[in-house]
Amino acid sequence: MPPSVKHDYPSAADETLVQWAQTGDTEAFEELVHRHRDKIYARALMMMRNEDQALEFSQEAWVKAWQRLVQFQGDSSFATWVTRIVINLCLDQLRRQKRVRTESIEAMDEESGGVERQLPAPEVNPTAGLEQDELRRRIDEALGKLTDAHRTVVVLHEFEGLEYKEIAKRVGISIGTVMSRLFYARRRLAFLLQSLKRERSE
Amino acid sequence: MKNNESLLDLQAYVDGELPEDRRREVEALLPADADARELVEGLRRLSGLLRTHEPAAVVPASREFYWSQIRRRIEAESVESPTAPATAAALGWLRWLIPALGVATVVVVVSMRSPSSELALAGGGGDVTLADVSSTVFRSESDGVTVHWIQ
C-alpha cells in the first residue's frame, strides 16, 4: 500500500474519502471503516444471529470492499455498497448451512401449505406504549425467532428496500416464494410482537 | 379475502408491487371488504414499525483492534492499490484476450483433429471453411503452411 498524503480524514465526506482510498490511501479507508463498521456489523448480525460470524463477515466485507474499490462508481452510497457486500457474504453462508442441515418444519410447512395458516393478521398497533429502545430490542428478538429463510426476505425488503424481483434474484428463489415467505414472516412477526406485548402487560 | 392469491395481492399492494390495473381493482375492493382493509392497515403499520425501529448493534471490538485485523487480512492477501493503472489496464486486455484465446484454441484443435482439415490441395492452395467455428483455413501443401482466419 503506498504511503498516503495527510488529509483531514474525520472532516472529509464519504465521497472524498472514497476517492482518496481509490488511490491507495489506507487511512482514508480506515476512516470509512470506522464510520460504517457498526452498520455493517449490525446487518451481518441481523442475518446470521451469531456474533462470531457477524464479526467475521463484517471484516471480510471490508476486505472485499478494499479489493473492489475501483469498481465503486458512486451509483449508491458507499455504506449501501458495503452493506450489499456483507449481505452477499451472509447469503452465501446461509446457503452453505442450508446444505448441511434440514430446514425447519415450520419453513417446510410454509413452503408447501400456503400462506393462509391461521396466524393472526398484523394488529393495527401491536407495540403501543413501548419505549423506542425497548421496541428495537423486541423487534430484534422477534426477528431472531424467524427461520433464516423468512428473516432474510424481511431484512432485504424492509431494511434494504429491495423489490421482490431483486430479492428473488439475490436469494435464488421465485418471486412467488419471496411473496409467500414475506407474508408468512410478517404474520409471524406480528404474532410475536403481540405476544411480547401480552407478556409485558401481565 | 380468503385465498392465497388475494392475500399476496394485498401485500403486493401495500408494497407498491402491483401492476396498475390490479392496483385499481384492489382499491375498488377495499371500501367493501373490512378484512382486507384491516390486513392492509396491519401490514402498513408493521412495515413502518420495522423501518423506523431497525435493530442496531455495535462492533464488540475497539476501533484499533477491528481495523488492525482488516488491515492484516488485506496485506495477507497481497492486495495492491485498488486503482493501480497497470492492473486496470491488464484486466481490460484480459477481458478480450481470454475469449479470443479460447476461440483460437478451438480452431486449432478442430483443424488438427478433423479429417476435413487434412484436405490437401495438390500443388497449390485453397480454402476450407469450418462452418461451426466461423473460420476459414488456407492450406498450402507446397509451402507446408496452414493459415486460419477467425471470424
Side-chain angles (χ1 to χ4, degrees):
Chain A
M1 294 175 210
S4 58
V5 180
K6 261 298 175 194
H7 295 293
D8 182 9
Y9 299 107
S11 302
D14 275 11
E15 295 77 10
T16 307
L17 290 169
V18 168
Q19 286 174 2
W20 291 340
Q22 285 177 327
T23 65
D25 185 342
T26 53
E27 286 186 67
F29 190 68
E30 183 195 359
E31 178 64 27
L32 288 165
V33 172
H34 175 61
R35 285 184 191 181
H36 302 294
R37 64 185 198 140
D38 287 342
K39 176 178 170 56
I40 303 305
Y41 171 75
R43 179 62 78 246
L45 185 60
M46 190 183 288
M47 292 191 69
M48 304 308 300
R49 313 303 298 181
N50 177 298
E51 288 187 1
D52 290 338
Q53 285 186 324
L55 198 59
E56 162 69 19
F57 292 136
S58 70
Q59 290 182 322
E60 181 65 22
W62 287 114
V63 173
K64 289 194 180 301
W66 170 260
Q67 293 170 338
R68 300 172 185 171
L69 205 49
V70 69
Q71 298 170 16
F72 177 68
Q73 302 295 322
D75 298 332
S76 62
S77 74
F78 179 74
T80 298
W81 183 66
V82 183
T83 303
R84 297 289 156 82
I85 293 175
V86 82
I87 283 173
N88 286 339
L89 289 170
C90 291
L91 287 174
D92 287 344
Q93 178 62 21
L94 290 171
R95 284 191 200 99
R96 284 194 291 271
Q97 288 178 359
K98 190 179 173 185
R99 285 193 205 112
V100 295
R101 66 168 167 70
T102 307
E103 279 289 290
S104 71
I105 291 172
E106 179 184 78
M108 288 191 293
D109 195 23
E110 177 260 335
E111 294 295 347
S112 60
V115 297
E116 77 280 24
R117 286 160 50 87
Q118 294 308 302
L119 286 174
E123 191 181 303
V124 171
N125 197 356
T127 51
L130 289 179
E131 295 296 326
Q132 301 297 302
D133 288 345
E134 174 71 0
L135 189 48
R136 280 197 176 82
R137 198 177 63 75
R138 297 291 178 104
I139 289 172
D140 190 46
E141 279 179 27
L143 285 168
K145 290 179 179 174
L146 298 180
T147 64
D148 291 340
H150 290 128
R151 189 172 53 255
T152 295
V153 293
V154 170
V155 170
L156 294 181
H157 189 272
E158 301 291 9
F159 301 130
E160 288 302 311
L162 297 185
E163 295 180 349
Y164 294 166
K165 66 179 178 185
E166 185 64 23
I167 297 171
K169 185 175 153 191
R170 284 174 181 269
V171 181
I173 55 180
S174 69
I175 289 178
T177 303
V178 171
M179 295 169 74
S180 172
R181 285 184 184 176
L182 190 56
F183 190 89
Y184 185 86
R186 282 166 159 169
R187 282 206 149 182
R188 180 95 177 119
L189 278 175
F191 172 77
L192 290 166
L193 290 171
Q194 280 179 249
S195 303
L196 293 170
K197 184 187 177 189
R198 278 197 297 272
E199 284 171 20
R200 185 172 179 266
S201 61
E202 284 171 2
Chain B
M1 200 48 56
K2 297 289 185 189
N3 61 53
N4 286 353
E5 195 178 347
S6 301
L7 294 171
L8 296 182
D9 267 4
L10 285 176
Q11 176 182 245
Y13 170 73
V14 170
D15 292 333
E17 297 255 7
L18 274 188
E20 183 62 22
D21 54 344
R22 187 69 189 118
R23 187 181 66 77
R24 286 207 194 95
E25 287 175 22
V26 169
E27 284 179 345
L29 164 96
L30 285 176
D33 191 331
D35 288 345
R37 277 202 311 276
E38 188 184 352
L39 181 59
V40 164
E41 195 173 349
L43 286 169
R44 279 187 176 142
R45 178 78 63 168
L46 181 66
S47 191
L49 189 71
L50 292 174
R51 291 177 189 211
T52 53
H53 294 83
E54 181 178 340
V58 176
V59 172
S62 69
R63 172 177 180 163
E64 292 73 22
F65 183 69
Y66 188 71
W67 169 247
S68 71
Q69 290 185 309
I70 294 168
R71 180 167 186 139
R72 193 157 44 241
R73 287 166 72 165
I74 289 172
E75 289 172 347
E77 294 184 29
S78 301
V79 177
E80 296 177 3
S81 171
T83 52
T87 306
L91 287 172
W93 274 104
L94 282 175
R95 201 173 299 143
W96 294 101
L97 191 58
I98 289 173
L101 283 174
V103 172
T105 303
V106 170
V107 169
V108 169
V109 169
V110 169
S111 67
M112 288 174 66
R113 300 185 63 178
S114 168
S116 65
S117 68
E118 297 301 319
L119 290 174
L121 301 172
D127 291 333
V128 176
T129 300
L130 302 176
D132 56 341
V133 292
S134 301
S135 68
T136 304
V137 180
F138 173 85
R139 179 164 183 160
S140 170
E141 283 296 318
S142 57
D143 297 322
V145 172
T146 302
V147 180
H148 298 263
W149 283 273
I150 304 166
Q151 296 175 341

